[in-house]
Coordinates of all heavy atoms in Angstrom, one line a residue:
R81 N -7.7 5.0 32.3 CA -6.4 5.8 32.2 C -5.5 5.4 31.1 O -4.9 6.2 30.4 CB -5.7 5.6 33.6 CG -4.2 6.1 33.6 CD -4.1 7.6 33.6 NE -2.7 7.9 33.5 CZ -1.9 8.0 32.5 NH1 -2.4 7.7 31.3 NH2 -0.7 8.4 32.5
S82 N -5.5 4.1 30.8 CA -4.6 3.5 29.8 C -4.9 4.0 28.4 O -4.1 3.9 27.5 CB -4.6 2.0 29.8 OG -6.0 1.6 29.6
S83 N -6.1 4.7 28.2 CA -6.5 5.1 26.9 C -5.8 6.5 26.5 O -5.9 6.9 25.4 CB -8.0 5.3 26.8 OG -8.6 4.1 27.0
I84 N -5.3 7.2 27.5 CA -4.7 8.5 27.3 C -3.2 8.5 27.5 O -2.7 7.8 28.5 CB -5.4 9.5 28.2 CG1 -6.9 9.5 28.1 CG2 -4.8 10.9 28.0 CD1 -7.4 9.9 26.7
F85 N -2.5 9.1 26.7 CA -1.0 9.0 26.7 C -0.5 10.4 27.1 O -0.7 11.4 26.4 CB -0.5 8.7 25.3 CG 0.9 8.3 25.2 CD1 1.2 6.9 25.1 CD2 1.9 9.2 25.2 CE1 2.5 6.5 25.0 CE2 3.2 8.8 25.0 CZ 3.6 7.4 24.9
F86 N 0.2 10.4 28.3 CA 0.6 11.7 28.8 C 2.2 11.8 28.8 O 2.8 10.9 29.4 CB 0.1 11.9 30.2 CG 0.6 13.2 30.8 CD1 0.0 14.5 30.4 CD2 1.5 13.3 31.8 CE1 0.4 15.7 30.9 CE2 1.9 14.5 32.4 CZ 1.4 15.7 32.0
T87 N 2.7 12.8 28.2 CA 4.2 13.0 28.1 C 4.5 14.2 28.9 O 3.9 15.3 28.9 CB 4.6 13.2 26.6 OG1 4.2 12.1 25.9 CG2 6.1 13.5 26.6
T88 N 5.6 14.1 29.7 CA 6.2 15.3 30.3 C 7.7 15.2 30.2 O 8.3 14.2 29.7 CB 5.7 15.6 31.7 OG1 6.1 16.9 32.1 CG2 6.2 14.6 32.7
K89 N 8.4 16.3 30.5 CA 9.9 16.4 30.2 C 10.6 17.0 31.4 O 10.1 17.9 32.1 CB 10.1 17.2 29.0 CG 9.2 16.9 27.8 CD 9.5 17.7 26.6 CE 8.4 17.5 25.5 NZ 7.3 18.5 25.7
L90 N 11.9 16.6 31.5 CA 12.8 17.1 32.5 C 13.2 18.6 32.2 O 13.7 18.8 31.1 CB 14.0 16.2 32.6 CG 15.1 16.6 33.6 CD1 14.6 16.5 35.1 CD2 16.4 15.9 33.4
R91 N 13.1 19.5 33.1 CA 13.5 20.9 32.9 C 15.0 21.1 32.9 O 15.6 21.7 32.0 CB 12.7 21.8 33.8 CG 13.1 23.2 33.7 CD 12.2 24.1 34.6 NE 12.3 25.5 34.2 CZ 11.3 26.3 34.4 NH1 10.2 26.0 35.0 NH2 11.5 27.6 34.1
N92 N 15.6 20.7 34.1 CA 17.0 21.0 34.3 C 17.8 19.8 34.4 O 17.6 18.8 35.1 CB 17.1 21.8 35.6 CG 16.4 23.1 35.6 OD1 16.6 23.9 34.6 ND2 15.6 23.4 36.6
N93 N 18.9 19.8 33.6 CA 19.9 18.6 33.6 C 20.9 18.9 34.7 O 21.9 19.6 34.5 CB 20.5 18.5 32.3 CG 19.6 18.2 31.1 OD1 18.4 18.1 31.4 ND2 20.1 18.2 29.9
V94 N 20.6 18.4 35.9 CA 21.5 18.7 37.0 C 22.2 17.4 37.5 O 23.5 17.4 37.5 CB 20.7 19.3 38.2 CG1 21.6 19.6 39.4 CG2 19.9 20.5 37.7
S95 N 21.5 16.4 38.0 CA 22.2 15.2 38.5 C 21.2 14.1 38.6 O 20.0 14.2 38.3 CB 22.6 15.6 40.0 OG 21.4 15.8 40.8
Y96 N 21.7 12.9 39.0 CA 20.8 11.7 39.1 C 19.7 12.0 40.1 O 18.5 11.8 39.8 CB 21.7 10.5 39.6 CG 20.8 9.3 39.8 CD1 20.7 8.4 38.8 CD2 20.2 9.1 41.1 CE1 19.9 7.2 39.1 CE2 19.5 7.9 41.3 CZ 19.3 7.0 40.3 OH 18.5 5.9 40.5
S97 N 20.1 12.5 41.3 CA 19.1 12.6 42.4 C 18.1 13.7 42.0 O 16.9 13.6 42.3 CB 19.7 12.9 43.7 OG 20.5 14.1 43.7
E98 N 18.5 14.8 41.4 CA 17.6 15.9 41.1 C 16.6 15.4 40.0 O 15.4 15.7 40.0 CB 18.4 17.1 40.6 CG 17.5 18.3 40.1 CD 16.3 18.6 40.9 OE1 16.3 18.5 42.1 OE2 15.3 19.0 40.3
T99 N 17.1 14.5 39.1 CA 16.2 14.0 38.1 C 15.2 13.1 38.7 O 13.9 13.1 38.4 CB 17.0 13.2 37.0 OG1 18.0 14.1 36.5 CG2 16.1 12.8 35.8
R100 N 15.6 12.2 39.6 CA 14.6 11.3 40.3 C 13.6 12.2 41.0 O 12.4 11.9 41.0 CB 15.3 10.4 41.3 CG 16.2 9.3 40.7 CD 15.6 8.4 39.8 NE 14.3 7.7 40.2 CZ 14.3 6.4 40.7 NH1 15.4 5.7 40.8 NH2 13.1 5.9 41.1
S101 N 14.0 13.3 41.7 CA 13.1 14.1 42.4 C 12.2 14.8 41.4 O 10.9 15.0 41.7 CB 13.8 15.2 43.2 OG 14.7 14.6 44.0
A102 N 12.7 15.3 40.3 CA 11.9 16.0 39.2 C 10.8 15.0 38.7 O 9.6 15.5 38.6 CB 12.7 16.5 38.1
I103 N 11.1 13.8 38.5 CA 10.1 12.9 38.0 C 9.0 12.7 39.1 O 7.8 12.7 38.8 CB 10.8 11.5 37.7 CG1 11.7 11.7 36.5 CG2 9.7 10.4 37.4 CD1 12.6 10.5 36.1
K104 N 9.4 12.5 40.4 CA 8.4 12.4 41.4 C 7.5 13.6 41.5 O 6.3 13.6 41.7 CB 9.1 12.1 42.8 CG 9.7 10.7 42.8 CD 10.3 10.4 44.2 CE 11.2 9.2 44.2 NZ 10.8 8.0 43.5
R105 N 8.1 14.8 41.3 CA 7.4 16.1 41.3 C 6.4 16.1 40.2 O 5.2 16.4 40.4 CB 8.3 17.3 41.2 CG 8.9 17.8 42.5 CD 9.5 19.2 42.3 NE 10.3 19.4 41.1 CZ 11.7 19.2 41.1 NH1 12.2 18.8 42.2 NH2 12.4 19.4 40.1
S106 N 6.8 15.7 39.0 CA 5.9 15.7 37.9 C 4.8 14.7 38.1 O 3.6 15.0 37.7 CB 6.7 15.3 36.6 OG 7.5 16.3 36.2
L107 N 5.1 13.6 38.7 CA 4.0 12.5 39.0 C 3.0 13.1 39.9 O 1.8 12.9 39.7 CB 4.7 11.3 39.6 CG 5.0 10.1 38.8 CD1 5.7 9.1 39.7 CD2 3.7 9.5 38.2
K108 N 3.4 13.8 40.9 CA 2.5 14.4 41.9 C 1.7 15.5 41.2 O 0.5 15.7 41.4 CB 3.4 15.0 43.0 CG 2.6 15.3 44.2 CD 3.5 15.5 45.5 CE 2.6 16.0 46.6 NZ 3.3 16.9 47.4
E109 N 2.4 16.4 40.4 CA 1.7 17.5 39.7 C 0.6 16.9 38.8 O -0.5 17.4 38.9 CB 2.7 18.2 38.8 CG 3.6 19.2 39.6 CD 2.9 20.4 40.1 OE1 2.3 21.2 39.2 OE2 2.9 20.7 41.3
C110 N 0.9 16.0 37.9 CA -0.1 15.6 37.0 C -1.2 14.6 37.6 O -2.3 14.6 37.1 CB 0.5 14.9 35.8 SG 1.2 13.2 36.1
N111 N -0.8 14.0 38.7 CA -1.8 13.1 39.4 C -2.4 12.1 38.5 O -3.6 11.8 38.7 CB -2.8 14.1 40.1 CG -3.7 13.3 41.1 OD1 -3.2 12.3 41.7 ND2 -4.9 13.7 41.2
L112 N -1.6 11.5 37.7 CA -2.2 10.5 36.7 C -1.7 9.1 37.1 O -1.9 8.1 36.3 CB -1.7 10.9 35.3 CG -2.4 12.1 34.7 CD1 -1.8 12.6 33.4 CD2 -3.9 11.8 34.4
G113 N -1.0 8.9 38.2 CA -0.6 7.6 38.6 C 0.8 7.1 38.0 O 1.6 6.5 38.6

Side-chain angles (χ1 to χ4, degrees):
R81 164 70 183 87
S82 56
S83 299
I84 306 299
F85 195 100
F86 180 72
T87 300
T88 191
K89 315 182 191 87
L90 177 71
R91 180 176 193 150
N92 295 314
N93 299 356
V94 181
S95 65
Y96 177 92
S97 62
E98 174 46 35
T99 305
R100 292 301 307 259
S101 304
I103 294 170
K104 288 186 199 309
R105 275 199 308 276
S106 287
L107 260 177
K108 197 163 168 215
E109 282 287 303
C110 72
N111 192 28
L112 289 167

